[in-house]
Amino acid sequence: MSFSDKLKRFFGIASALDDDFFDELADTLVEGDFGAELAFGTVEELRRRCRKENVKDGAAARQILYEMLGETLQKARRGAEVGCLSDGKAGSPLSVILLLGVNGVGKTTTAAKLAFLLQKSGKTMLAAADTFRAAAIDQLKIHGERLGIRVVAHKQGGDPSAVVYDALAAAVSGQYSSLIADTAGRMHTKTALVEELRKIDRAIQSGGGRQKDGTPPANPPLVNRWLVLDATTGSNAVHQAETFHEALNLDGVILTKTDSGAKGGVVFALAANLRLPVLYVCNGEKYENISLFNADDYVREFLG
Ligand SMILES: Nc1nc2c(ncn2[C@@H]2O[C@H](COP(=O)(O)OP(=O)(O)OP(=O)(O)O)[C@@H](O)[C@H]2O)c(=O)[nH]1
Ligand SMILES: [Mg+2]
């Protein structure tokens, strides 16, 4: 039985909204990757609202929880639906997407999926800024060949910020509308990784697609720092997000592997604890297995 089936059944068989009901709901939400604090806080608030509105049955309680979870996700919204993506029209600024995340979460695959998606609305380029392993560069190049998308890469062991700097200059002068940079998920130490990612970030800020003669671009690029999270890692994903958010001030999250039995509560924990919106969801290994996150649909599916 999937997690949302379990929730559906739970609300369906509730005979009375007593202490047992609320205790069991809290345990279920903890199990669903909400994290203890958010699970208990949510259930307390639900209990309060049910009492206030004189709600007596599971179906009505479920409806209130549905509204509350929608409000939780609303807290993480930052105006634009998908961060700072350029509309791809002539004269609009370049969107730079830095894909961050620990090893194995799906950064490189997601870079390819995003390129596949964004090339529909403008010229897209990939930057192989994971120079830690030769295989990482090759992996991105293979995707680039399959998709017919240019990949800017240097040699293994090179400076990833130099890769991004060069890619930016090429993207600005070639009037690309988006540049997607894959980054390393592992380094000798965590501190080294964070320093490397900050350096890439600074290269974008200071270089900003400057030309060889030093001329700055007419339109500075829009920078998106997106964290890739494996949905199956559960509440540990929130811990990863905290670390990266502290280091780089993230703009949003891409959740991968939602096809692999994830319970899904982590989306609410990210919104409630870090005000971080999920922007895209990936549910498979194919290029088309990526979609824009839809808060309303998500809550509906989560509650079963
Ligand atoms: N089922 C499923 N598998 C995925 C998804 N996204 C990525 N994967 C798989 O996860 C594995 C790791 O993906 P990568 O893209 O190489 O991950 P990465 O973050 O770049 O890994 P490193 O470069 O080692 O840090 C691969 O086998 C992908 O095919 C997804 O949405 N669903
Ligand atoms: Mg990779």
Side-chain angles (χ1 to χ4, degrees):
M1 187 162 46
S2 78
F3 183 74
S4 58
D5 285 341
K6 191 172 171 180
L7 265 178
K8 185 178 187 176
R9 190 160 172 270
F10 175 77
F11 283 105
I13 61 173
S15 52
L17 304 189
D18 52 12
D19 284 349
D20 284 350
F21 169 85
F22 288 109
D23 288 350
E24 205 176 315
L25 178 60
D27 291 346
T28 309
L29 293 183
V30 172
E31 188 197 320
D33 295 337
F34 259 62
E37 203 182 325
L38 179 63
F40 290 110
T42 303
V43 168
E44 267 327 294
E45 173 67 7
L46 179 65
R47 194 198 294 262
R48 201 186 59 74
R49 290 203 199 180
C50 285
R51 206 178 290 144
K52 192 167 159 234
E53 295 175 32
N54 202 21
V55 158
K56 299 264 187 259
D57 64 285
R62 181 188 172 280
Q63 180 58 29
I64 296 178
L65 183 59
Y66 167 80
E67 284 160 22
M68 284 173 54
L69 294 182
E71 287 161 19
T72 301
L73 295 185
Q74 196 67 26
K75 285 184 197 153
R77 287 203 43 193
R78 311 198 168 173
E81 200 59 56
V82 191
C84 289
L85 282 191
S86 133
D87 59 11
K89 293 198 182 103
S92 59
L94 170 74
S95 307
V96 180
I97 297 167
L98 262 187
L99 288 180
L100 309 156
V102 304
N103 57 294
V105 289
K107 292 177 300 298
T108 308
T109 312
T110 303
K113 287 174 182 170
L114 277 173
F116 168 76
L117 199 67
L118 297 182
Q119 73 173 344
K120 292 174 187 160
S121 57
K123 270 164 89 181
T124 297
M125 186 188 286
L126 285 159
D130 176 358
T131 61
F132 195 61
R133 292 175 305 124
I137 301 172
D138 294 339
Q139 194 186 348
L140 201 66
K141 281 185 176 167
I142 291 169
H143 284 303
E145 271 164 35
R146 280 189 201 143
L147 292 166
I149 286 173
R150 181 171 169 194
V151 178
V152 171
H154 290 183
K155 288 201 179 70
Q156 183 202 356
D159 181 355
S161 62
V163 177
V164 173
Y165 195 95
D166 283 356
L168 257 169
V172 168
S173 67
Q175 298 185 333
Y176 279 75
S177 63
S178 51
L179 167 65
I180 303 159
D182 184 24
T183 65
R186 101 194 81 185
M187 279 287 286
H188 312 286
T189 65
K190 194 174 105 185
T191 320
L193 176 64
V194 167
E195 271 322 304
E196 175 176 296
L197 297 175
R198 284 195 175 134
K199 194 173 167 200
I200 296 175
D201 204 57
R202 283 197 300 274
I204 300 172
Q205 300 297 336
S206 63
R210 227 168 265 270
Q211 302 302 291
K212 286 212 167 63
D213 65 0
T215 319
N219 274 336
L222 304 168
V223 187
N224 299 273
R225 299 167 189 92
W226 291 351
L227 182 69
V228 181
L229 285 178
D230 176 341
T232 62
T233 54
S235 47
N236 183 40
V238 179
H239 179 66
Q240 287 172 24
E242 268 164 4
T243 307
F244 278 89
H245 201 27
E246 215 168 87
L248 278 133
N249 200 11
L250 301 171
D251 301 293
V253 167
I254 299 184
L255 204 61
T256 60
K257 312 191 193 182
T258 58
D259 54 311
S260 307
K263 296 184 186 114
V266 69
V267 169
F268 303 102
L270 289 168
N273 304 343
L274 300 170
R275 299 278 188 273
L276 272 179
V278 171
L279 304 170
Y280 291 95
V281 175
C282 298
N283 63 343
E285 297 180 82
K286 299 202 184 89
Y287 293 131
E288 52 272 23
N289 292 146
I290 184 166
S291 45
L292 268 174
F293 178 77
N294 180 309
D296 205 40
D297 291 350
Y298 193 84
V299 177
R300 230 176 268 282
E301 249 168 66
F302 180 79
L303 284 181

